[in-house]
Amino acid sequence: MAMPPFEFWLTLTVIGFTITTTVLLLLPSQYDERGGSKDETGLRIQILVLGDVGRSPRMQYHALSIAKHGGYVDLIGYRDSDPHPDLLSKPSISIFPIAAPLKMLQTNNRALFLVYGPLKVLFQLWSLWILLGYKTKPAKWMLIQNPPSIPTLAIAQLICFIRNTHLIIDWHNFSHSILALKLGPRHPLVRISEWYERTFSQAATAHFTVTNAMARVLKQDYHITTPIFPLHDRPAAHFQPIGTSCRFAFLGRLPDTASVIDEIKTGKTRLLVSSTSWTPDEDFSLLLDALVSYSELATTSHPHLPEILAIITGKGPQKEHYLSQIAALNDQGKLEMATIKTAWLSMSDYASLLGAADLGVSLHISSSGVDLPMKVVDMFGAGLPVVGWGKFEAWPELVKEKVNGRGFGTAEDLQKVLVDLFGGDGEELKCLREGAVREGGRRWDDEWDQVAGRLLGVCE
């Protein structure tokens, strides 16, 4: 059989070379530490949030800290709510919105989720490829929030490899443990998610974790050998304790509290605040059941108990479900001594509300056992003592029992805590508030500069 002519092989070589050259030329540009822009004298970093930027305070704080030290930030995420106002005022911070998936791909139906989920991931992959690879400048570092891990970890590693960028994973929790709340721990997709998370986290240059317990899991269970740095959440500067006169002035103008300001001043009404995302990992029924029991006691055997005004902030998928339950309980007269209101506040009003409240409640039920709710940190920053579901490993890293807060495991436990704190002489609540103020004394900048700032090379 005759060999193909020389011209054939030459043509094939030229075609192959042309295709290869075109692909290489179309790849995202690389980061070159020696060839930075003359207009930029500081560090450039990409921060990726596969979620709403406005509802991702920790990642916003990262961006502000980097900008504070002269760095440049490209913040990539969804724009569903208003971000921190300082982000918009900093010329060194650019926000690149991720295109929202088609509404038809959004579902709470378990069966449809198995079909729409992969399609949503493909849409996200393409959006992230364009944003991370082409619409943003090459950066020395990329910092990504985890969870979600799919498809973030895979696309981030690919982009970092192509663009000569160092990858840092900021671990807030584990994706597979959250998915298990929806599908069950033994579901095949949960196991695939865990394998994916373990596998695609290995190549990162470094890792931040929100707790010491999470760092231990990454080392012992995930067998990660690259540096792991616990970077605890700390309150930002806008969360501050407020004085009595400022407290009453704020509550007097807030629509949800203005009508009962006199009762709050005299102690006949106690103000309780809880921030929730209305998701399965925050069991609102615990608070609801506890308030029903508290109201029953206050109208029978414990008439000295004050009325409770509970203001619940936040948005989420289960909100309407619980609002209907609250309405039904009110119709049945089971919340006679407890009033529940929901609110969506600006960041400044939310910070003032925490400073003005008597007690904060955390309903976060840790899916992994090693994460912590940032809302508790914000409450401590405002000098607000906290009661929260504390039956998980990492809880004592933040809340010290009877020092700055109290823990509970059931609705009955929570009801007893409310009676103890609101039905006594107020001394225990006063001591917890003092403990909260002390705990809130260490701020985000103090923590970030020592850990992240040193790693990134912007702090000594």
Side-chain angles (χ1 to χ4, degrees):
M1 185 175 179
M3 292 289 290
F6 172 75
E7 290 81 0
F8 171 82
W9 292 110
L10 180 61
T11 302
L12 197 62
T13 301
V14 170
I15 292 173
F17 178 78
T18 302
I19 293 174
T20 302
T21 302
T22 302
V23 170
L24 291 175
L25 288 175
L26 290 176
L27 285 176
S29 56
Q30 285 193 323
Y31 172 77
D32 183 356
E33 198 161 4
R34 299 166 299 175
S37 169
K38 293 181 180 180
D39 298 329
E40 295 184 6
T41 57
L43 170 81
R44 175 166 288 277
I45 184 168
Q46 294 174 320
I47 297 181
L48 173 59
V49 181
L50 196 60
D52 180 14
V53 170
R55 297 169 69 185
S56 304
R58 180 178 169 100
M59 305 310 285
Q60 294 184 80
Y61 297 163
H62 277 301
L64 290 170
S65 294
I66 293 164
K68 176 184 175 183
H69 290 283
Y72 298 85
V73 180
D74 291 331
L75 180 54
I76 300 99
Y78 293 112
R79 286 291 301 270
D80 297 331
S81 60
D82 293 333
H84 194 293
D86 289 351
L87 286 179
L88 303 177
S89 65
K90 297 283 186 182
S92 56
I93 299 177
S94 301
I95 301 178
F96 292 82
I98 301 173
L102 300 174
K103 289 186 177 180
M104 64 170 290
L105 300 180
Q106 308 293 326
T107 180
N108 291 321
N109 184 286
R110 182 169 173 174
L112 291 177
F113 173 77
L114 300 178
V115 178
Y116 290 167
L119 295 177
K120 180 180 177 181
V121 168
L122 290 175
F123 182 88
Q124 290 172 333
L125 277 171
W126 175 249
S127 299
L128 294 177
W129 171 258
I130 298 299
L131 284 170
L132 295 173
Y134 297 95
K135 289 192 175 182
T136 53
K137 295 180 180 180
K140 183 176 182 178
W141 297 92
M142 181 190 294
L143 175 65
I144 65 173
Q145 172 184 298
N146 188 78
S149 61
I150 299 174
T152 315
L153 293 181
I155 190 67
Q157 285 197 21
L158 177 60
I159 292 291
C160 286
F161 174 77
I162 294 172
R163 304 198 82 173
N164 192 31
T165 296
H166 299 293
L167 177 63
I168 304 173
I169 302 174
D170 192 23
W171 294 83
H172 300 191
N173 204 345
F174 300 123
S175 287
H176 66 87
S177 68
I178 296 176
L179 186 61
L181 294 176
K182 189 171 189 177
L183 301 179
R186 296 187 178 182
H187 194 281
L189 284 183
V190 174
R191 296 183 178 182
I192 292 172
S193 175
E194 183 175 7
W195 170 86
Y196 171 93
E197 200 166 27
R198 288 172 180 262
T199 301
F200 284 92
S201 60
Q202 298 295 324
T205 302
H207 306 259
F208 296 144
T209 62
V210 295
T211 65
N212 298 324
M214 188 174 290
R216 176 189 57 76
V217 170
L218 292 181
K219 290 177 182 177
Q220 296 181 2
D221 298 346
Y222 280 44
H223 306 295
I224 289 176
T225 56
T226 48
I228 302 171
F229 303 96
L231 176 59
H232 293 90
D233 286 321
R234 297 294 177 187
H238 58 278
F239 290 103
Q240 296 287 345
I242 60 177
T244 302
S245 59
C246 291
R247 179 193 184 216
F248 291 147
F250 169 75
L251 295 178
R253 69 173 177 82
L254 188 70
D256 293 312
T257 55
S259 61
V260 293
I261 184 63
D262 292 336
E263 288 81 359
I264 292 176
K265 287 181 178 180
T266 59
K268 292 182 178 179
T269 295
R270 291 289 195 171
L271 179 57
L272 181 151
V273 174
S274 182
S275 175
T276 178
S277 57
W278 303 97
T279 53
D281 64 342
E282 294 189 331
D283 189 356
F284 187 76
S285 65
L286 288 170
L287 177 59
L288 201 55
D289 292 345
L291 290 177
V292 169
S293 299
Y294 178 94
S295 186
E296 182 179 358
L297 282 177
T299 54
T300 54
S301 60
H302 293 63
H304 64 286
L305 289 175
E307 187 172 352
I308 291 178
L309 171 59
I311 297 181
I312 315 299
T313 68
K315 297 178 180 179
Q318 294 185 340
K319 182 176 180 178
E320 294 304 320
H321 167 73
Y322 282 111
L323 287 181
S324 63
Q325 286 194 23
I326 294 170
L329 290 171
N330 279 321
D331 291 341
Q332 296 165 16
K334 293 185 176 181
L335 290 172
E336 187 176 342
M337 290 295 288
T339 301
I340 303 174
K341 296 185 178 183
T342 60
W344 180 252
L345 304 174
S346 67
M347 187 170 294
S348 60
D349 280 351
Y350 175 64
S352 296
L353 177 63
L354 295 187
D358 293 299
L359 187 66
V361 176
S362 169
L363 301 172
H364 177 77
I365 297 178
S366 175
S367 63
S368 64
V370 294
D371 69 315
L372 281 171
M374 191 171 186
K375 68 196 72 178
V376 174
V377 175
D378 297 337
M379 291 174 181
F380 284 159
L384 180 64
V386 176
V387 296
W389 193 84
K391 301 301 181 181
F392 59 102
E393 180 183 350
W395 179 251
E397 287 190 33
L398 182 60
V399 179
K400 308 298 186 293
E401 186 68 18
K402 294 189 176 183
V403 175
N404 53 26
R406 297 279 298 271
F408 62 86
T410 65
E412 183 181 1
D413 293 341
L414 176 55
Q415 173 250 304
K416 290 179 180 178
V417 170
L418 294 177
V419 171
D420 288 344
L421 297 181
F422 291 160
D425 57 8
E427 282 303 309
E428 183 177 356
L429 193 59
K430 179 182 176 182
C431 289
L432 293 182
R433 183 174 290 277
E434 292 171 352
V437 171
R438 287 194 300 271
E439 181 65 31
R442 182 173 174 83
R443 295 286 162 163
W444 171 259
D445 286 342
D446 302 324
E447 185 81 6
W448 193 91
D449 288 356
Q450 287 190 5
V451 181
R454 289 182 176 178
L455 175 65
L456 297 175
V458 297
C459 297
E460 296 181 357

